Amino acid sequence: MKKDIQIPEVTGVEMAVVYEYNDIYKTDDWNVYLINKKAIDLEMLVIVSQGFSDTKTTSLLRKKLDILPANSFAKIELIQPELFKLNNRFQVTFFEGNTLYEKTFLFKENSIKEGALRMIDDIKKRGVLAN
């Protein structure tokens, strides 16, 4: 029965958009990172991202990671500044042990900008954390 399904709360996992220099292309880029602050590995991660507003919706992007080690982070994707005027949603699903977890991170429209950058200690770079 539906009332018997228990959905565990996700803690210790964060999503950030980071503004950083790209050595290969000699450009300043915005990249999305997933941060695992837990003392346990996360396995079989699936990240689905989409930008949306009242009048526009972007196509879905999917990314899979086999493992995100304990107390680590991974670069997920490059995000174009044109998408900052939209709400950007990242749905993250993963296994921690034998339990399936899911969390949706949201960057609200116009919340990603240079004036909002803060130091993110876990990755030692400046960025914006999702709600």
Side-chain angles (χ1 to χ4, degrees):
M1 299 272 257
K2 193 174 184 179
K3 64 179 177 58
D4 296 325
I5 298 173
Q6 302 223 350
I7 301 172
E9 182 182 348
V10 174
T11 58
V13 178
E14 293 183 335
M15 179 81 54
V17 173
V18 173
Y19 191 57
E20 60 189 340
Y21 186 73
N22 183 325
D23 290 326
I24 296 170
Y25 297 109
K26 310 290 187 231
T27 59
D28 290 313
D29 294 336
W30 294 89
N31 292 298
V32 180
Y33 282 83
L34 185 62
I35 305 166
N36 178 10
K37 294 180 156 193
K38 295 175 175 273
I40 189 169
D41 296 348
L42 307 181
E43 299 174 335
M44 293 181 14
L45 297 99
V46 176
I47 301 104
V48 178
S49 62
Q50 185 173 41
F52 65 95
S53 69
D54 292 337
T55 58
K56 292 183 180 180
T57 303
T58 66
S59 58
L60 287 173
L61 289 175
R62 293 175 184 88
K63 172 86 174 185
K64 177 182 122 359
L65 297 174
D66 292 325
I67 192 165
L68 184 57
N71 300 307
S72 69
F73 57 89
K75 187 186 296 186
I76 303 302
E77 64 186 39
L78 172 78
I79 186 168
Q80 297 295 329
E82 295 80 28
L83 297 174
F84 298 165
K85 62 187 172 191
L86 303 174
N87 294 301
N88 288 280
R89 176 178 48 223
F90 294 84
Q91 295 171 293
V92 180
T93 307
F94 61 90
F95 277 95
E96 181 182 320
N98 290 327
T99 306
L100 180 66
Y101 289 83
E102 180 180 46
K103 182 162 184 175
T104 300
F105 296 94
L106 181 66
F107 293 95
K108 293 187 178 181
E109 60 186 47
N110 301 313
S111 66
I112 304 170
K113 53 189 168 195
E114 286 190 50
L117 295 175
R118 302 287 178 263
M119 182 56 74
I120 300 171
D121 294 331
D122 298 300
I123 57 179
K124 310 275 188 286
K125 295 182 181 185
R126 292 175 5 115
V128 178
L129 289 172
N131 294 333

